[in-house]
Structures are given as C-alpha cells and as structure tokens.
Amino acid sequence: MTKSLKEKISILIKKFEIGKFQDVINDSLIILKKNDNDFLWNLAGLSFQNIHQIEKSINCFENALGLNPKNFSASNNLGLSYKKLRNYSKAEEYLQISIELNPKYVNALVNLGNLKNETYFFDNAISFYNKALILNKNLPLIHLNISSVYQSLNKINEAKEHLNKAILIDETFTIADQKLTTLEKYDEKNPHTKMMVYKLEKLKLNENQKVYLHFGLYKAYKDLKEYKKSFHHLKSGNQLQRKLLKYDIDQHKSLSKKIKSIFEKIDLKELQQSNGGENNIFILGMPRSGTTLIEKIISSHSDVSTISESNFIPEKVYKYLKKDSESLKNFLKSDFKNKYNEFIKSFNIKGKIVIDKTLTNFWHIGFIKIFFPKAKIIHIFRNPKDNCLSIYENLFDYAEGWNSDQKELAEYYLIYKDLMDFWNKLFGDSILNIKYEDVILDTETKIKDIIKFCDLEWENACLEFHKNNNPIKTVSFNQANRPIYKTSVNKYELYEKELKILFSKLI
C-alpha cells in the first residue's frame, strides 16, 4: 500500500467515525477504481450498512473477500448484512467463517450469539457469549446480551447477575441500570435507587444515557409508592426520548389511508391464494395490550411453538407499499407465503403450529388474509387508558416516537383502532377479538374459547401457562410468567391528572 493510499484511507476512517457515510462511499468508490483494496471495500460496505442499503453493502463485502478471502472482518460484516435481510442461514455461514479465520474475534462470536438468541437457540447463544467473555470479560454489552437470554428463559437471578457485572464495568452503561429495574422490586433498603440518582446528577452523560436512568427511577419510585417523583422521571424520560427521535405522526395517518384505499378497491377473492396458513397463528394488537399473555397461553399447548415478534411481514410488505401500484399487484401474486415459511425454518421450532406475535401485523391483516387464508388471526385489545399508560411507562428496544408523547400516542392509538374497525368490518368473524379484561375476569372460559378458535384439542397446560418454561422476549415477561392477576386493570387511575392530554383524546 502506497503512502498516498494510506493517507486517503486514514481520512476516510475519520469521516466514517463522525458519521459521514455517504462521503465515505463516494470517495471510496473513486479510489477503488484505481486501487482495488479489500479494506476499502469493507469500509464502503459498512457505510452502506449504516445508511440501510444492505444489498449494496453485500456487494462491497463480497468484493473485499474476493480480494482477500482471509479478511475475517469482511466475512463478519457480510454475515451481519444477511442477518439484516433475515437470511439467517447465509448470516450464520459467514459468521462461522469469520470465527474459523480468527477464533479470537470477539465481534463475530457476539454476533453469532445474537443470531442464535434471535432464532430461539438459547443454549447456543449462551455458549457463544461465554466464549466471547473468556476473551474479554470487561465488555458490558456482552453481559447485557447474555442477561437478555437468561431473562427470556425466566432465569432472573442469572439475568440480574450479568446486569450487575455490566454496571460495575462501566457506570455510564445505564441501559443495564434500566434493565435491572425491570427485574427488581424496590424497597427503601435497595441501594440501586440512590445509585441511579447519583449517576443522573453527577456523571457526564449523554441524553440517551439519561433516558435509561429516568425510566429506571420511574420504576423504582413507583415500587416505593412515591408517585410524584415517579411521574417526574417518567415525563422527563419520555420528553428526552422524543427529542432524540425523528418522527411524524402524519406518516402513519397516510399509511393507514393508503392501506384502506388498497383493500377497498381490490378483489380479495381473485387474489386470495387457495391454501396456506393452516399451521400459522398471528397474534397482534397494540404493545402492552395482553398479546404476550395470549402467546404464552397458546404456546403452552404441545402442538404449538412461537417465533414471537419476528417483524418479517411488516418489513417485507412495507417495501411494496412504498412502490407503484403495478409492483404491489405483482407482490400480491407472488410466492411470499413460501418465503415466509422458509424464513421460520431458521427458528428453534418444536410444535407444528407456529405463533407469530408481531404486533404491527395489525397494519397488514389484509395481506395476511391473501397469503395465509387459513391462518388464525387473534387481535388483543384492552381499556385504552390502561393500554396507553402501559406503553408510555415502558422503554422499548425499538422506540418509534409516537410512544413518547402523550398527544402522538393518543393519535396513534386512534389510527390503530380505526384500522382494526376496518379489518373487522371487512373480514368479520374470521378475526378473533379478545378483550384482555375478559381474560382476567373469566379466565378459564376465555382460554377455552381461544384454544377452540385455534382448532386445537384442549390441554390443561394452557390453563396453567405460568408453569411452563416457554421463552418470553418482550417487556411483558414478568406478567406472562405469573398466574392471572387483576392489579393491571384500571391502573391508569394512579396518573389520571398527569396524563390528561393523553386520556382526553381517548374518550
């Protein structure tokens, strides 16, 4: 490598580090016309990844490996790109190659652990995380990841142990503080509350780090029944979170109008495929509406497995909703059903019936009806005030913006309700609508109704769902791992005055 090329690469690395990804791509491609270099192809690929042009990133990483098959970093990054496309088999192939090329490459071990976690191979995930920890035990992110696996498996003590290790390694790694609060029941003797206050007041933190502490302190003070302090931190955390996100509620309003206009015009009988979905159950609704509880109940049946919130259908459908009408028509006549079925084969599935609990599938019920006409669709809903409070008080891994602002949260809820009214009118009794409060008040009857709708033989395990060890990945793990309880009903009354902007729009 010439001195001049080294200097150019050094400049590009600095641009990459400050987020000038398009500049890195433009400059790299100019240099690569004269100097074919695997490092530069890898850097360009990473830049394409960061601006979500995944297919182009794959091309760059393949070029890097074509020049240097031993470039373990490019192989790792190629695996990540395939993972983003939900091509798990290709992703695993290249991550394994990266580890074979460099058995001490922590990034590839962690990424393979993440892939196994995502596809429910939890023992494998823990194994890869532990291999990474042997190489470097002082990376808080690994402890956070392994904690999430133990939490999914309801091994709470192990989960807390790794979160505490992450906190000891880096006191500014405040996501671990917030995650720990979801596993603890706070009393006056718990020192973690004062620790979070100290961090918030004394440490130099960015706004993301402060958001985690505000949500953590909300939970701690709520447990202590200090509701004024509790809500102060909830409001502060949501306001900070909202500032960090680019979001426009009008985009969701337009999307709803577009979807309804499509299904008001098309001939469903002409497009609906003759079969498909016989072994599929789709559970959907708003976050925190009771969907995880219903997932836990149904997946307690010996014939049922779950892939939880896969997000496969929304990701694929949304691409076509942005295209012209001809592309959408071609998609509706495509073999999407087979692609979906191929996708779920990557998961650790034991039962022949598979639950997909992607909540945002409520946007795409019409598409599900076309591609999976025999699938069971179960919509869960609850008191809108309780539902929206529960959304507002939780910090989700994938924040969108609407859930951090009272006005936008109410508007999004009304969009959801209007769309569900549209689907129910269009498809009638083929959608099972379950009210969460009805399950709480008449548990056995409602669970039997759900199991019957799914065409499953009755098993008592469905009534004793809290006794099984089915993994739960969502923030609702605490609730779904317990017997039915009533304290979540009318919880909104605690904060009715503070949330008057939100609640006034839900009436």
Side-chain angles (χ1 to χ4, degrees):
M1 188 185 299
T2 65
K3 183 179 179 180
S4 173
L5 182 56
K6 285 182 180 178
E7 289 174 351
K8 290 177 182 178
I9 289 176
S10 179
I11 292 169
L12 288 177
I13 291 171
K14 290 177 181 177
K15 286 185 177 182
F16 181 87
E17 289 172 346
I18 61 174
K20 292 187 174 182
F21 303 119
Q22 193 60 58
D23 288 350
V24 174
I25 291 166
N26 295 338
D27 295 347
S28 295
L29 295 179
I30 290 170
I31 297 170
L32 284 164
K33 287 179 180 179
K34 296 181 180 179
N35 300 277
D36 230 359
N37 179 280
D38 65 300
F39 182 91
L40 263 184
W41 278 118
N42 190 41
L43 189 63
L46 285 169
S47 299
F48 276 121
Q49 265 188 359
N50 275 282
I51 61 172
H52 310 294
Q53 294 189 26
I54 305 305
E55 287 84 359
K56 290 182 179 179
S57 77
I58 288 173
N59 183 58
C60 291
F61 298 135
E62 287 176 340
N63 287 339
L65 289 169
L67 289 171
N68 180 8
K70 294 185 178 181
N71 188 329
F72 56 86
S73 177
S75 186
N76 169 71
N77 295 331
L78 181 54
L80 284 181
S81 284
Y82 277 118
K83 181 172 175 283
K84 288 178 185 293
L85 293 178
R86 304 306 181 98
N87 188 334
Y88 291 125
S89 58
K90 278 281 189 183
E92 182 170 357
E93 175 187 343
Y94 283 102
L95 290 171
Q96 288 282 14
I97 289 171
S98 179
I99 294 168
E100 289 169 10
L101 291 169
N102 184 356
K104 294 184 177 181
Y105 191 36
V106 171
N107 285 5
L109 288 166
V110 172
N111 289 331
L112 195 47
N114 292 343
L115 186 151
K116 291 299 182 182
N117 182 12
E118 196 168 307
T119 53
Y120 280 58
F121 290 91
F122 295 113
D123 290 341
N124 296 121
I126 291 170
S127 175
F128 285 115
Y129 290 143
N130 281 330
K131 287 177 182 178
L133 285 174
I134 290 170
L135 294 170
N136 190 341
K137 64 180 180 181
N138 292 320
L139 291 174
L141 184 59
I142 303 176
H143 289 287
L144 179 71
N145 291 350
I146 201 169
S147 171
S148 75
V149 178
Y150 282 125
Q151 180 179 303
S152 297
L153 295 171
N154 201 27
K155 294 184 177 181
I156 303 304
N157 289 333
E158 291 90 337
K160 290 197 287 190
E161 178 187 346
H162 281 278
L163 289 173
N164 280 310
K165 286 180 179 179
I167 291 167
L168 285 173
I169 292 166
D170 182 358
E171 63 180 353
T172 68
F173 193 67
T174 57
I175 185 175
D177 290 284
Q178 189 271 326
K179 295 292 185 185
L180 184 61
T181 64
T182 67
L183 306 179
E184 294 276 17
K185 183 69 175 176
Y186 286 78
D187 57 28
E188 293 178 354
K189 296 178 182 178
N190 193 319
H192 190 220
T193 306
K194 289 183 179 178
M195 183 193 298
M196 288 189 288
V197 172
Y198 163 79
K199 290 183 179 185
L200 194 58
E201 293 178 350
K202 302 296 183 183
L203 298 185
K204 289 184 177 179
L205 303 171
N206 62 37
E207 292 191 331
N208 268 316
Q209 292 166 328
K210 291 176 182 176
V211 166
Y212 291 121
L213 289 175
H214 279 302
F215 274 88
L217 285 166
Y218 162 71
K219 169 60 166 58
Y221 284 125
K222 187 177 74 166
D223 285 352
L224 292 165
K225 294 184 168 54
E226 296 187 37
Y227 297 118
K228 188 174 182 180
K229 282 185 179 179
S230 175
F231 188 79
H232 163 74
H233 287 288
L234 179 60
K235 184 178 179 181
S236 299
N238 274 301
Q239 286 177 339
L240 264 182
Q241 175 83 309
R242 185 63 188 88
K243 287 178 184 177
L244 295 169
L245 299 167
K246 291 182 178 180
Y247 174 73
D248 183 355
I249 190 70
D250 288 338
Q251 292 180 346
H252 275 127
K253 290 177 180 177
S254 297
L255 180 61
S256 178
K257 287 179 182 177
K258 182 169 187 176
I259 289 171
K260 287 193 291 183
S261 69
I262 290 168
F263 284 91
E264 284 169 343
K265 296 173 184 175
I266 64 175
D267 186 341
L268 282 168
K269 290 181 180 179
E270 179 186 330
L271 289 168
Q272 202 164 42
Q273 299 184 8
S274 57
N275 55 53
E278 294 87 349
N279 296 324
N280 299 103
I281 299 171
F282 294 98
I283 299 174
L284 45 86
M286 287 289 282
R288 307 293 297 165
S289 61
T291 54
T292 302
L293 173 64
I294 304 305
E295 175 192 27
K296 184 83 170 180
I297 289 167
I298 301 173
S299 66
S300 298
H301 196 284
S302 60
D303 286 338
V304 181
S305 291
T306 179
I307 60 172
S308 199
E309 298 181 25
S310 74
N311 290 308
F312 185 85
I313 291 174
E315 286 175 6
K316 303 302 180 184
V317 170
Y318 185 66
K319 286 197 304 184
Y320 287 95
L321 285 171
K322 293 192 297 183
K323 294 182 179 180
D324 58 80
S325 58
E326 195 60 37
S327 297
L328 181 61
K329 286 179 183 177
N330 291 334
F331 169 66
L332 293 175
K333 296 176 181 177
S334 72
D335 63 345
F336 177 72
K337 171 185 66 182
N338 295 329
K339 290 178 181 177
Y340 177 82
N341 289 334
E342 194 63 32
F343 162 73
I344 64 177
K345 287 179 183 178
S346 298
F347 287 78
N348 187 13
I349 295 170
K350 295 173 184 175
K352 65 179 181 179
I353 311 295
V354 179
I355 295 173
D356 185 329
K357 193 188 73 77
T358 301
L359 302 182
T360 51
N361 273 335
F362 78 79
W363 289 93
H364 309 304
I365 289 176
F367 297 96
I368 292 172
K369 282 289 186 180
I370 288 171
F371 291 112
F372 309 95
K374 297 184 179 179
K376 306 299 182 184
I377 298 177
I378 304 176
H379 165 232
I380 317 300
F381 66 102
R382 70 188 286 199
N383 178 314
K385 290 184 178 180
D386 277 337
N387 196 172
C388 288
L389 167 60
S390 196
I391 292 169
Y392 191 72
E393 71 179 353
N394 276 279
L395 189 58
F396 298 92
D397 290 335
Y398 303 101
E400 293 186 50
W402 58 266
N403 47 12
S404 298
D405 178 87
Q406 290 191 48
K407 182 175 177 289
E408 290 172 326
L409 172 52
E411 289 180 345
Y412 185 89
Y413 185 90
L414 294 174
I415 293 168
Y416 141 79
K417 187 177 182 302
D418 175 70
L419 193 55
M420 281 310 307
D421 288 344
F422 174 78
W423 295 130
N424 279 311
K425 188 174 181 180
L426 192 61
F427 297 115
D429 293 340
S430 66
I431 299 171
L432 179 64
N433 295 283
I434 294 289
K435 188 176 182 180
Y436 170 77
E437 287 84 358
D438 289 345
V439 179
I440 301 302
L441 296 173
D442 191 6
T443 303
E444 185 170 350
T445 300
K446 290 302 174 184
I447 289 178
K448 285 183 175 178
D449 287 346
I450 293 167
I451 299 304
K452 183 179 179 181
F453 176 80
C454 294
D455 289 334
L456 295 167
E457 294 291 328
W458 175 252
E459 291 182 359
N460 285 330
C462 298
L463 196 57
E464 299 177 335
F465 61 90
H466 56 281
K467 293 182 180 179
N468 76 45
N469 292 316
N470 291 348
I472 297 175
K473 287 190 171 188
T474 70
V475 295
S476 304
F477 69 95
N478 270 327
Q479 294 89 335
N481 280 322
R482 293 165 55 188
I484 293 288
Y485 60 97
K486 298 180 181 179
T487 54
S488 60
V489 177
N490 295 330
K491 191 173 68 172
Y492 73 88
E493 293 172 355
L494 284 172
Y495 299 108
E496 196 152 20
K497 291 181 181 178
E498 290 85 353
L499 293 172
K500 59 185 179 182
I501 295 173
L502 168 62
F503 291 160
S504 67
K505 293 182 175 294
L506 296 175
I507 297 172

